[in-house]
Amino acid sequence: MGPNVIAFSSGKGGVGKTSLSVNVASLLAQAGTKTLLVDGDLGLANVDILLNLNVETTLQDVLEQKAELSDSLAWVNNNFAVLPATSGVPDMVNQGPDAQKQMGELLDQLGSEFDMILIDTAAGIGADVLWFNHLSQISTVVLTPDPTSITDAYALIKVIWQEYDRQEFHLLLNQVQDEEEAEKFYSGLTKVCENYLQFRPQFLGHVTKDSSVQKGLRSKKPFAQEFPQSQATQDLTQIVIRLKELSMNQA
Amino acid sequence: MSTESNPKSSAAHDEACPLGTHDCPIYDQVQLLKVAHARLSQLSQTDPLTGLYNFRYLVSAVEREIERTRRTGSPTTLVMIDIDHFKSINDTYGHQVGNLALKHIAKLLKGSLRKIDIVCRYGGEEFTLILPNTRLSGGQLVAERMRERIEKSELISDDTKIALTASFGVGTFEEGMDLSGEAFIHEVDECLIRAKQKGRNQVQSVERKSIEGVSRQEKQSLNFDF
């Protein structure tokens, strides 16, 4: 078994997937876990924007053998690196089976350097989203109470299950009023999964709707660092603890 | 747009010749060029040894057929064929006999297909069939029939009977698939390699998982009403 790789996907875009993965990574790093965040959105990358990073070479450059892997890592601090992606280049080649194989090898290589690797995948259910999940030990699905987000999260789970036989998914309810609301949506979705797919997703946690998240986005710094006392940061801290437990069980 | 305002398009018509089509020197030249063009284009698309379409034609034909599948939904099946132990035929009997074997297989393939099917020589001892409007099961039947026919056929050279067999890879391009022509050919080629590895003289096909979408019932159950 290689490194502890965690994929963050959502089906629907705009549910806070990138923002959450950036903040989870920063909290993991803060707690002493050497963390790499891979921008897995090979078409519309924006991890670098949320962290205000100056990016010269990207994941695509590495995949196309134009750059060394080590030169493409952007370090936020000693414990936190980002492997950024190129934005605005629709690249079908980098989403095919060869890219999948190459990416698997890259992750193995990176595993010796990092304790934890997070992958922020693209929205949708494209081939790359599916195989990024396949290459990860843990699949995290981010959703909000928005009905379209719920349907898209379910569609994503169903497709990954069919394509790669994965039955373990960890749901992260974002932008909820409170834990009670999160659990209502979780148990609703769980019932449908049990009925039609014959397995239950796991509850990873929830993040309360919080203005500090928006403020963090605009300041281009992780809200977990800018607003450590905020409800969203406290919620996310619980999620980070669970992710660490999960990865310990995986190892 | 009227013809007067577009002299370029009107020049392309025979009627544009002021002398009419008879006794027009330009018209005669154009006719000769047309014949030469057809001959050259045929030459550039065919393999001189077997008379089959060549690799260049194959690539464009696959692109055209999968585009048709995308447009009409009717599937396109690709069969790739490789003569087993061809190198040893060349080494044992010489290259002339090797060429005879290629012609022999080409004839067998050509003689047992529909008019709309396209037979190509991929290169070396490898052939490809493009079967428009054919599902995987149909392609598998065709491949199995060909395999048997090749196995039972006789290639006689200098009173020696040379036994021939071939390996087959089969794959189908279906509507809604996100696959380039090149990737499709590659996928079927991988199957052919598998047929070789599993002991030759057999047919292997691309098995794809069918992915089922979210049904109306599932959508309704997901429409929570808290």
Side-chain angles (χ1 to χ4, degrees):
Chain A
M1 185 62 81
N4 278 306
V5 184
I6 305 174
F8 281 80
S9 311
S10 60
K12 188 181 181 325
V15 297
K17 175 174 47 64
T18 303
S19 163
L20 288 184
S21 45
V22 162
N23 281 281
V24 167
S26 87
L27 284 174
L28 277 166
Q30 189 189 310
T33 306
K34 201 159 183 204
T35 307
L36 172 69
L37 176 59
V38 177
D39 196 336
D41 193 339
L42 303 178
L44 293 167
N46 21 27
V47 168
D48 53 322
I49 299 168
L50 289 193
L51 285 164
N52 206 13
L53 296 172
N54 203 349
V55 167
E56 277 171 23
T57 53
T58 64
L59 174 55
Q60 281 94 331
D61 295 323
V62 178
L63 289 175
E64 287 161 20
Q65 327 249 324
K66 287 185 198 153
E68 290 284 331
L69 180 54
S70 54
D71 293 338
S72 301
L73 297 180
W75 290 88
V76 181
N77 58 48
N78 282 341
N79 269 340
F80 183 7
V82 171
L83 181 52
T86 306
S87 195
V89 185
D91 192 347
M92 298 317 284
V93 180
N94 274 332
Q95 291 162 20
D98 283 348
Q100 172 181 8
K101 221 171 123 192
Q102 250 181 309
M103 198 64 223
E105 286 162 9
L106 270 189
L107 289 173
D108 281 341
Q109 220 176 312
L110 288 160
S112 58
E113 215 180 314
F114 293 92
D115 302 324
M116 201 88 102
I117 299 176
L118 311 187
I119 304 173
D120 176 35
T121 76
I125 52 171
D128 56 322
V129 175
L130 307 186
W131 56 248
F132 266 128
N133 274 279
H134 179 58
L135 291 172
S136 305
Q137 273 83 53
I138 298 170
S139 281
T140 303
V141 178
V142 181
L143 64 157
T144 66
D146 172 356
T148 55
S149 159
I150 294 162
T151 313
D152 291 356
Y154 177 77
L156 174 77
I157 290 171
K158 188 172 177 183
V159 173
I160 297 174
W161 165 64
Q162 290 181 89
E163 183 76 30
Y164 292 113
D165 291 323
R166 172 158 300 202
Q167 296 198 352
E168 208 181 304
F169 295 90
H170 300 270
L171 302 188
L172 203 171
L173 275 293
N174 194 21
Q175 295 169 19
V176 292
Q177 296 302 322
D178 49 29
E179 186 163 10
E180 200 187 331
E181 191 188 42
E183 293 200 334
K184 250 187 344 200
F185 281 98
Y186 166 71
S187 59
L189 186 52
T190 298
K191 262 189 211 134
V192 182
C193 286
E194 277 179 325
N195 271 346
Y196 292 95
L197 313 180
Q198 277 82 50
F199 63 81
R200 294 170 66 92
Q202 315 285 311
F203 184 68
L204 180 65
H206 75 281
V207 176
T208 311
K209 206 174 167 115
D210 186 337
S211 60
S212 59
V213 177
Q214 274 303 318
K215 287 181 200 153
L217 283 176
R218 284 197 206 120
S219 71
K220 297 178 190 167
K221 281 173 195 154
F223 66 78
Q225 306 299 328
E226 288 288 280
F227 309 100
Q229 301 306 321
S230 67
Q231 187 57 48
T233 305
Q234 286 173 41
D235 295 340
L236 216 50
T237 306
Q238 293 303 313
I239 286 167
V240 166
I241 292 168
R242 281 197 202 109
L243 280 176
K244 273 175 141 181
E245 283 168 5
L246 279 172
S247 77
M248 296 256 280
N249 294 340
Q250 292 280 337
Chain B
M1 199 184 283
S2 74
T3 10
E4 284 80 14
S5 67
N6 191 348
K8 230 179 177 178
S9 86
S10 69
H13 289 286
D14 300 336
E15 291 75 21
C17 178
L19 300 175
T21 50
H22 289 289
D23 306 323
C24 171
I26 297 170
Y27 177 78
D28 288 347
Q29 283 301 310
V30 168
Q31 290 312 304
L32 285 175
L33 281 173
K34 271 188 180 167
V35 172
H37 177 262
R39 169 107 185 96
L40 280 174
S41 104
Q42 199 212 354
L43 276 176
S44 72
Q45 291 174 348
T46 48
D47 163 49
L49 178 72
T50 59
L52 301 179
Y53 286 113
N54 61 16
F55 178 73
R56 186 211 300 238
Y57 183 81
L58 166 76
V59 175
S60 64
V62 166
E63 292 291 352
R64 193 183 63 221
E65 288 306 317
I66 67 176
E67 194 44 49
R68 192 188 47 79
T69 296
R70 287 200 182 102
R71 221 173 42 239
T72 67
S74 145
T76 300
T77 291
L78 200 66
V79 180
M80 292 186 85
I81 305 146
D82 191 290
I83 306 177
D84 296 331
H85 302 296
F86 184 70
K87 195 179 173 300
S88 77
I89 296 174
N90 269 333
D91 293 347
T92 318
Y93 306 100
H95 285 84
Q96 274 184 331
V97 177
N99 281 349
L100 266 182
L102 291 170
K103 281 189 191 171
H104 172 75
I105 300 282
K107 209 172 145 194
L108 281 180
L109 295 177
K110 231 174 165 176
S112 39
L113 287 169
R114 302 170 300 182
K115 258 200 179 133
I116 55 163
D117 299 329
I118 300 163
V119 191
C120 309
R121 184 173 170 207
Y122 188 93
E125 71 274 25
E126 211 167 313
F127 299 88
T128 306
L129 315 177
I130 305 171
L131 312 175
N133 196 13
T134 305
R135 295 184 185 291
L136 184 66
S137 54
Q140 286 166 328
L141 276 176
V142 169
E144 189 49 44
R145 200 170 69 214
M146 295 283 181
R147 191 200 61 74
E148 252 185 65
R149 201 161 285 178
I150 292 171
E151 194 180 26
K152 284 184 181 156
S153 74
E154 288 188 340
L155 176 67
I156 297 165
S157 163
D158 288 341
D159 299 330
T160 331
K161 237 173 76 181
I162 302 167
L164 287 175
T165 60
S167 303
F168 293 73
V170 188
T172 302
F173 190 93
E174 307 259 11
E175 188 183 14
M177 264 184 195
D178 186 17
L179 201 66
S180 70
E182 203 185 331
F184 178 41
I185 294 174
H186 180 73
E187 194 180 58
V188 181
D189 204 18
E190 298 259 290
C191 265
L192 172 56
I193 293 168
R194 208 169 66 221
K196 291 259 165 199
Q197 285 166 347
K198 288 199 167 179
R200 300 183 173 87
N201 191 23
Q202 58 182 279
V203 179
Q204 289 287 329
S205 1
V206 180
E207 302 290 351
R208 285 203 193 81
K209 285 186 181 173
S210 62
I211 300 275
E212 186 193 297
V214 177
S215 69
R216 201 158 45 88
Q217 288 98 318
E218 285 172 285
K219 267 191 186 161
Q220 271 165 5
S221 349
L222 286 164
N223 193 4
F224 309 136
D225 196 11
F226 297 133

